[in-house]
Amino acid sequence: MPRFYARRRLSMAAGATALISSVALFNAPTASAALPTPVSGATARSYLASLTVATEDRTGYNRDLFPHWITQSGSCNTREVVLKRDGSNVQQDSSCAATSGSWYSVYEGATWTAASDVDIDHLVPLAEAWDSGADSWTTSRRQSFANDLTRPQLIAVTDNVNQAKGDQDPATWMPSRTAYRCTYVRAWVQVKYYYGLSVDSAEKSALQNYLASC
């Protein structure tokens, strides 16, 4: 049974670990995130074997070095495009902002009815990309990475869950829904492979372990 939640009002200190006290159930279509289908488990294992293993280096990282939520068409930026793609019955106003709809967060299985409760997760975080080789990219390539609608890199999820994930890789953070973990690691490896990013040793080990059952 999908879980539908009323609008949360959590302090920043509460973060993702806070209990949500106000819960409302209702009958409505369940939204389903439409992340581009990642490569198969076998292909992901092959890709992972070819990735360079290197120590991460965050020297010089700044999120602004990855121009994100750029205009995609008309008045629609990347965030609004993903909200529309990943939601159900999404209505947008003249500026392309989502005014209604529902969004199912595949990471933990909650469904939201306010776009303000939803973040667009960079599946491979921007800081993680910087650590893994994006520090040598042009601004144009970093912009492409931060707004990639073709690879399985952007997905609408619960805001607090996204904030709890932060810039962690699969060695230290995975979706709480075990049913989604295979999809998650396949997508992670595909994105890293496509962009020529490295993995650190702990990250590679974790990915190998998860992919073994995919």
Side-chain angles (χ1 to χ4, degrees):
M1 175 71 67
R3 301 192 300 277
F4 294 84
Y5 295 94
R7 176 67 183 277
R8 296 157 299 131
R9 301 185 185 278
L10 299 179
S11 67
M12 290 301 292
T17 60
L19 293 176
I20 300 169
S21 59
S22 177
V23 179
L25 294 174
F26 63 96
N27 294 319
T30 298
S32 180
L35 183 80
T37 303
V39 296
S40 68
T43 299
R45 288 189 289 272
S46 175
Y47 284 177
L48 179 59
S50 72
L51 295 182
T52 299
V53 177
T55 302
E56 295 183 350
D57 180 7
R58 191 158 301 183
T59 304
Y61 171 71
N62 187 318
R63 185 176 175 84
D64 291 340
L65 294 171
F66 291 80
H68 51 285
W69 307 165
I70 62 171
T71 299
Q72 293 289 343
S73 63
S75 58
C76 298
N77 66 22
T78 306
R79 171 180 164 81
E80 299 300 345
V81 169
V82 178
L83 284 173
K84 177 72 170 179
R85 183 199 72 186
D86 289 3
S88 178
N89 299 326
V90 177
Q91 300 298 313
Q92 297 171 306
D93 63 19
S94 59
S95 65
C96 205
T99 57
S100 64
S102 62
W103 291 268
Y104 176 69
S105 176
V106 292
Y107 286 176
E108 86 292 2
T111 297
W112 302 99
T113 58
S116 58
D117 285 324
V118 178
D119 278 356
I120 307 304
D121 180 39
H122 290 95
L123 194 136
V124 174
L126 304 183
E128 168 68 25
W130 180 270
D131 297 349
S132 307
D135 56 338
S136 66
W137 293 353
T138 63
T139 298
S140 176
R141 185 161 177 79
R142 288 195 287 267
Q143 176 175 293
S144 295
F145 177 84
N147 298 274
D148 191 345
L149 296 168
T150 303
R151 262 62 55 182
Q153 164 66 349
L154 297 173
I155 186 169
V157 297
T158 301
D159 53 2
N160 285 344
V161 173
N162 183 49
Q163 291 154 23
K165 171 186 171 180
D167 56 15
Q168 297 180 81
D169 69 33
T172 56
W173 188 92
M174 285 289 285
S176 61
R177 279 186 66 237
T178 56
Y180 197 72
R181 290 178 176 178
C182 181
T183 300
Y184 186 83
V185 293
R186 285 158 44 213
W188 183 283
V189 171
Q190 180 179 346
V191 170
K192 283 222 158 177
Y193 178 84
Y194 179 83
Y195 284 97
L197 296 170
S198 64
V199 291
D200 64 40
S201 57
E203 175 189 356
K204 182 173 183 178
S205 178
L207 289 166
Q208 287 173 325
N209 290 338
Y210 287 113
L211 284 171
S213 59
C214 289

